[in-house]
Amino acid sequence: MADTKREIERKYELPAPSDGDEPSGLPDLTGVKGVASVRARGVVELDAVYYDTADLRLTGDHVTLRRRTGGDDEGWHLKFPVSAGIRDEIRAPLADTLPDELAALVRSRVRGAGLGPLVRLTTSRDVLHLLDAEGRLLAEASVDAVRARRLAGGTGGKDGGTASWTEVEVELGDDADPAILDAVEKKLRKAGLRPSSAASKLGRALAGTAPDEPGRAGTRAAKDGPRSAGDHILAYLRDQADAIVAQDPAVRRDLPDSVHQLRVATRRMRSAFRTYRKILDRSVTDPVAEELKWVAAELGVDRDHEVLDERLSARIDALPVTLLLGPVRARLRTWDAAQRAGSRSRTVAVLDSERYLTLLETLDGLLTSPPLRPDAAQPAGKALPRAILKNYERLAGRVGHALALAPGEERDLAMHNARKAAKRARYAAEAAHPALGKPAKRFAKRMKALQTALGDHQDSVVAREALRDLAVKAHAAGESAFTWGLLYGQEEAQGERREQEVPGLWEEASDPRLRADLTG
């Protein structure tokens, strides 16, 4: 069974030795603020083989996969970047082949490419534990003598290349204050050590054993320095495709907000296909958009219900105990469990499906050979505003229609359609922001405010439907339906308040100066 550890560490270069001298080691760390004692743990011999695809898909995304023997954590390790110096390490027991749990977490990147041994690192690690006054581990500092060898499963013509170096690694102890790393770094800098220029041992090994190899990152140079309208939209679409791939393992790990973020990426991409149809050929992008819609819908079953459950739970928590008549919380839990039965396994099944993996391959192909139309060659400042303003006109028609209707189901549906149009207008402006700057940002901000009000109105409509269902079930079971009726009234009032906000928000969003600024 795999488990996860948050790894917070820093790496340092030892000062270059003088001619004939041995490399210096760590300075005395007992004087570091907060460190009461330093305990030598001896030298550990580590042997790790790193795996990747032939085109370095994992390495290009700063993901590392290794099989390591030696030390107290030998086994398979998969590391995902979180932020600078912070990674999540998922560990699985030592086995001859890659465990299925880890294979699933790299599937969105690897797909059918296959994994092979890339680099072997053997490390002699001299370990010190930095302890506080009560003997708790603050950090582990080590001097690592590393030897790297490129393996036959590597890429390019540099198979068999070798490199060696010595570095210092300082890793934060579990539940320790990260400030200890700053204190240690201050001491190391005074001793002449400097932060390593390589983010990981693998990165340094690759550079040392095949320094001329471009790697997967070299194939993405088109993301940098967009000039034409087509350049900007393709850069935006690549960001969304990258987000889908990156969120896939987070969804599998059931990390907070991961399903939402993956769905947002699919929606942004679909919106860009529709908005910028004079830049990208819709005969090619429409089928892809349908597949993106399918993924979002499949993953949305669980997410939408999760949001609804959180909303209703918050309503219940805000009520005085005297107004909670009957087994209200138990009823909500039962209802929630029934609605979400099997949803987790269904989500993973979607991500493991051939249809989904084919979609990822299709996205790569589309972005490698984009179906550009003539407007793609136009300056961004000319083509992008036109597309944004077309979305605005669509939104204006939907808002006008919704506000002209009397309150009721028809108006609720019209408000929901206006919300979708507001989101599309917002996404269009956000896609153009790198090219158009502040005018696009201001336009997107106004659209987001309108979208938020319309979205909360729609959430209140959905919540009322659920509350009525809960009330019916409670009544049928002989329970009081009073609390559910009370919550229904609160949601109805919330929906009315949001409806009343829409005309003012629309007046701000339809300010002619916003549109004039977009066109310069």
Side-chain angles (χ1 to χ4, degrees):
M1 190 71 181
D3 55 28
T4 302
K5 182 180 185 299
R6 176 61 56 88
E7 180 184 80
I8 304 176
E9 66 179 19
R10 300 180 186 179
K11 298 180 184 294
Y12 300 90
E13 305 276 0
L14 289 165
S18 302
D19 291 341
D21 292 340
E22 292 293 322
S24 58
L26 284 172
D28 182 7
L29 298 175
T30 53
V32 171
K33 183 179 180 180
V35 176
S37 61
V38 177
R39 182 176 301 168
R41 304 297 296 178
V43 177
V44 179
E45 300 297 332
L46 307 174
D47 191 338
V49 175
Y50 288 77
Y51 290 78
D52 206 340
T53 62
D55 57 354
L56 303 182
R57 297 185 183 189
L58 301 184
T59 304
D61 286 344
H62 307 288
V63 175
T64 58
L65 173 64
R66 72 187 179 198
R67 181 185 184 275
R68 190 168 78 180
T69 57
D72 56 8
D73 65 343
E74 67 176 10
W76 286 89
H77 303 160
L78 175 61
K79 299 187 181 186
F80 290 102
V82 176
S83 59
I86 303 177
R87 294 185 291 182
D88 277 346
E89 181 178 273
I90 298 100
R91 299 174 176 174
L94 190 64
D96 291 337
T97 58
L98 178 64
D100 291 342
E101 296 164 90
L102 300 193
L105 294 178
V106 297
R107 188 163 293 136
S108 65
R109 292 176 168 89
V110 174
R111 300 167 214 164
L115 291 164
L118 178 65
V119 170
R120 181 183 181 187
L121 298 183
T122 54
T123 303
S124 292
R125 171 167 289 178
D126 191 357
V127 181
L128 298 176
H129 281 183
L130 311 185
L131 309 175
D132 66 9
E134 297 180 4
R136 291 177 299 214
L137 180 65
L138 298 174
E140 179 179 285
S142 63
V143 178
D144 293 348
V146 186
R147 296 170 297 282
R149 179 168 63 86
R150 180 61 71 93
L151 300 176
T155 61
K158 301 294 183 179
D159 296 351
T162 62
S164 61
W165 68 91
T166 302
E167 68 180 29
V168 169
E169 185 176 291
V170 183
E171 182 175 347
L172 188 70
D174 293 343
D175 302 319
D177 186 349
I180 191 67
L181 296 181
D182 293 331
V184 172
E185 178 163 316
K186 184 177 181 180
K187 184 79 170 182
L188 296 180
R189 282 181 174 272
K190 284 186 177 179
L193 281 74
R194 293 292 178 265
S196 176
S197 58
S200 66
K201 285 183 173 65
L202 176 60
R204 188 162 182 173
L206 291 176
T209 59
D212 299 326
E213 186 175 80
R216 180 171 169 83
T219 67
R220 297 193 174 188
K223 291 177 64 174
D224 302 324
R227 297 175 298 278
S228 68
D231 289 336
H232 278 282
I233 298 308
L234 288 174
Y236 178 79
L237 291 173
R238 288 189 186 97
D239 287 342
Q240 307 319 310
D242 288 348
I244 293 171
V245 169
Q247 289 300 326
D248 175 297
V251 171
R252 294 174 186 273
R253 295 167 60 198
D254 203 18
L255 297 185
D257 206 38
S258 56
V259 171
H260 174 63
Q261 291 302 324
L262 194 154
R263 292 179 76 203
V264 165
T266 66
R267 288 168 175 165
R268 289 180 187 276
M269 185 170 270
R270 286 170 53 214
S271 178
F273 287 157
R274 292 195 300 266
T275 297
Y276 297 105
R277 56 183 179 270
K278 290 193 174 181
I279 291 174
L280 293 167
D281 186 348
R282 286 193 64 178
S283 68
V284 177
T285 62
D286 277 357
V288 180
E290 283 301 311
E291 292 301 282
L292 291 167
K293 183 178 181 180
W294 164 75
V295 171
E298 289 291 323
L299 300 184
V301 174
D302 190 34
R303 169 62 184 174
D304 290 345
H305 189 80
E306 180 184 14
V307 171
L308 177 58
D309 179 60
E310 290 173 355
R311 186 181 182 100
L312 298 185
S313 295
R315 288 280 187 202
I316 292 172
D317 291 342
L319 287 178
V321 176
T322 53
L323 296 181
L324 297 177
L325 303 187
V328 176
R329 296 185 192 279
R331 169 62 57 190
L332 182 61
R333 285 195 298 270
T334 301
W335 176 81
D336 179 53
Q339 295 289 320
R340 298 175 68 174
S343 61
R344 177 69 188 154
S345 59
R346 184 170 61 247
T347 294
V348 174
V350 170
L351 299 182
D352 283 338
S353 68
E354 285 298 321
R355 183 175 179 179
Y356 169 72
L357 296 175
T358 297
L359 170 61
L360 297 183
E361 291 291 342
T362 300
L363 290 176
D364 273 359
L366 185 148
L367 294 170
T368 300
S369 301
L372 298 176
R373 298 190 64 196
D375 277 16
Q378 290 188 358
K382 181 179 180 181
L384 303 189
R386 283 203 307 262
I388 296 171
L389 293 179
K390 200 166 188 65
N391 271 352
Y392 168 82
E393 292 167 5
R394 181 169 176 267
L395 171 61
R398 291 195 178 186
V399 172
H401 173 64
L403 295 180
L405 295 171
E409 289 187 14
E410 189 178 355
R411 190 182 203 193
D412 290 343
L413 178 59
M415 288 279 191
H416 181 44
N417 288 333
R419 168 184 171 266
K420 290 189 284 187
K423 181 187 292 186
R424 182 167 161 182
R426 169 195 163 194
Y427 286 167
E430 288 176 347
H433 173 235
L436 305 183
K438 289 183 179 179
K441 183 177 182 179
R442 286 192 292 267
F443 184 89
K445 183 178 180 181
R446 296 288 177 86
M447 295 303 114
K448 183 178 180 180
L450 178 63
Q451 173 200 329
T452 299
L454 291 167
D456 194 37
H457 173 270
Q458 174 63 15
D459 289 346
S460 78
V461 171
V462 174
R464 275 176 266 164
E465 293 173 356
L467 288 166
R468 185 184 182 282
D469 183 46
L470 283 160
V472 169
K473 285 181 167 56
H475 179 74
E479 302 164 7
S480 172
F482 170 83
T483 302
W484 304 116
L486 179 61
L487 295 178
Y488 187 100
Q490 289 183 350
E491 286 292 353
E492 191 171 45
Q494 175 75 357
E496 291 174 356
R497 283 193 296 270
R498 284 307 206 179
E499 278 192 44
Q500 292 168 5
E501 292 174 11
V502 169
L505 290 169
W506 174 239
E507 184 178 355
E508 294 177 359
S510 58
D511 185 339
R513 290 173 296 184
L514 286 174
R515 304 193 297 281
D517 287 346
L518 285 174
T519 58

